[in-house]
């Protein structure tokens, strides 16, 4: 017997495969996470993330221009301060490292690339948590919202286009949107880290920001076992006015990403986190996988699951391959 259906016909040549390809990654679909370190006099390489550095202000500017020239869609900035305290004072200082870095990016790339800011306290607190603590050492959700509002206004004043709310506090989108609109920043958009899981894959990132974390974040980041809850969190953020919702990490949560993408009326982002990056780099360095193919396939898989754009440390390099 001969088969009636022959799907292989459409795989016969490169031209055919390209013509019928269901999903594609474009440079504009990529966002580059970046780190800027206060007091650094040269870029500092990160051992757990080969190819990624903590930037000086000068190298940050150069890398931003390179990324813009590669055609990527956005830059997400994280700050590494020299001094931390219990309430993350440095996060709201106008000339603090993160806000100064955001101004530098806006000056360098203007509107050619979307400049995004990390709106969270973890890099700035001496205890490493994403919020302020109460007398019992627990993260105080509502007191943290006040700090987030202050951060939002400081970041909006730098000219940042999109604020990335990554702290996983209940009500954070509504709180930030309220003060932005009140103070006239109606055009500043909000990217909600809606389904952010308490993941083992954040390890190298904590090296990158020199995290001071004591304990864990399981009382506010999500349980990796929970799929429905991811959709619930995204639905709440949509109701509070999020312009974009995100699932983080990406590759271990493609089911959640697909759930959110299926119902979201706004764009959906996904973050290919530091541990995902480090695993592929380590395997490639050992000759166990084809590095370029693995990078391309991993990002394509995230797009296929429903992400409109992807935060990835390979953004500039991948954009160069795609052009």
């Amino acid at each position: 017997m001969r088969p009636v259906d022959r799907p292989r016909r459409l795989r016969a040549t490169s031209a055919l495969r390209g013509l019928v390809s269901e999903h594609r990654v474009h440079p504009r679909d990529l966002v580059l996470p970046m780190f800027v370190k206060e007091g650094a006099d040269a870029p500092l390489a990160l051992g757990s993330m080969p190819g990624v550095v903590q930037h000086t202000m000068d190298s940050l500017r150069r890398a931003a221009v390179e990324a813009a020239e590669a055609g990527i869609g956005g830059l997400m900035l994280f700050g590494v301060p020299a001094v931390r305290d219990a309430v993350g004072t440095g996060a709201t200082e106008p000339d603090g490292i993160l806000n100064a870095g955001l101004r530098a990016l806006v000056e360098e790339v203007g509107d050619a690339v979307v400049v995004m800011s990390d709106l969270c306290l973890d890099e700035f607190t001496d205890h490493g948590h994403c919020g302020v603590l109460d007398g019992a050492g627990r993260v105080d959700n509502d007191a943290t919202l006040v700090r987030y509002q202050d951060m939002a206004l400081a970041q909006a004043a730098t000219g940042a286009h999109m604020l990335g709310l990554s702290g996983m506090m209940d009500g954070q989108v509504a709180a930030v949107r309220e003060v932005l609109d009140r103070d006239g920043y109606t055009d500043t958009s909000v990217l909600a880290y809606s389904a952010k899981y308490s993941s083992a894959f954040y390890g190298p990132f904590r090296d990158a920001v020199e995290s001071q974390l004591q304990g864990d974040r399981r009382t506010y980041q999500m349980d990796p076992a929970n799929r429905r809850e991811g959709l619930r969190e995204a639905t709440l953020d949509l109701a509070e006015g999020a312009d974009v919702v995100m699932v983080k990490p990406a590759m271990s949560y493609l089911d959640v990403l697909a759930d959110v993408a299926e119902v979201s009326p706004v764009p959906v982002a996904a973050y290919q986190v530091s541990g995902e990056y480090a695993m592929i780099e380590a395997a490639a360095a050992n000759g166990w996988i084809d590095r370029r193919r693995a990078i391309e396939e991993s990002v394509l898989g995230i797009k296929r699951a429903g992400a409109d754009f992807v935060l990835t440390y390979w953004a500039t390099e991948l954009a160069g391959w795609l052009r």
Side-chain angles (χ1 to χ4, degrees), residues 304-318:
R304 189 185 64 243
D308 294 289
F309 62 86
V310 180
L311 280 74
T312 174
Y313 298 97
W314 289 300
T316 302
E317 183 177 16
L318 179 53

Side-chain angles (χ1 to χ4, degrees), residues 82-98:
V83 178
R84 297 170 168 89
D85 61 25
V87 297
T89 301
T92 49
E93 291 177 349
D95 295 321
I97 186 60
L98 178 56

Side-chain angles (χ1 to χ4, degrees), residues 60-73:
L60 179 73
R61 288 176 178 270
R62 291 194 297 271
V65 171
E66 180 187 10
E69 290 175 346
I72 75 167

Side-chain angles (χ1 to χ4, degrees), residues 88-210:
T89 301
T92 49
E93 291 177 349
D95 295 321
I97 186 60
L98 178 56
N99 294 320
L102 289 168
R103 280 195 300 273
L105 291 181
V106 172
E107 290 171 4
E108 226 32 80
V109 300
D111 292 333
V113 175
V114 179
V115 175
M116 306 178 183
S117 60
D118 179 55
L119 199 159
C120 192
L121 289 171
D122 59 320
E123 295 107 276
F124 297 92
T125 55
D126 56 11
H127 46 73
H129 279 288
C130 298
V132 297
L133 306 183
D134 64 17
R138 299 167 299 194
V139 175
D140 186 325
N141 190 95
D142 295 0
T144 298
L145 295 182
V146 177
R147 292 293 293 136
Y148 286 1
Q149 289 179 317
D150 293 341
M151 284 187 74
L153 294 177
Q155 293 177 356
T158 69
H161 307 122
M162 183 177 287
L163 311 187
L165 279 59
S166 62
M168 287 301 290
M169 296 296 119
D170 294 340
Q172 62 184 13
V173 173
V176 166
R177 187 75 264 165
E178 177 187 0
V179 295
L180 290 175
D181 291 350
R182 183 198 68 196
D183 282 29
Y185 295 109
T186 55
D187 290 336
T188 303
S189 55
V190 170
L191 163 60
Y193 285 54
S194 298
K196 181 178 180 181
Y197 286 83
S198 181
S199 172
F201 292 105
Y202 301 147
F205 175 90
R206 291 175 183 168
D207 292 340
V209 297
E210 302 176 8

Side-chain angles (χ1 to χ4, degrees), residues 195 199 201-202 247-257 269-273 276 298 301-303 305 307 310-311:
S199 172
F201 292 105
Y202 301 147
V247 175
K248 178 183 180 181
M251 291 175 65
S252 295
Y253 298 90
L254 294 178
D255 55 339
V256 180
L257 174 58
Y271 199 143
Q272 188 177 44
V273 300
E276 299 169 53
S298 67
I302 297 166
K303 281 283 292 179
V310 180
L311 280 74

Side-chain angles (χ1 to χ4, degrees), residues 208-224:
V209 297
E210 302 176 8
S211 174
Q212 306 297 301
L213 181 63
Q214 302 164 20
D216 59 53
R217 298 180 175 135
R218 295 180 184 178
T219 65
Y220 46 103
Q221 293 180 354
M222 293 175 56
D223 184 343

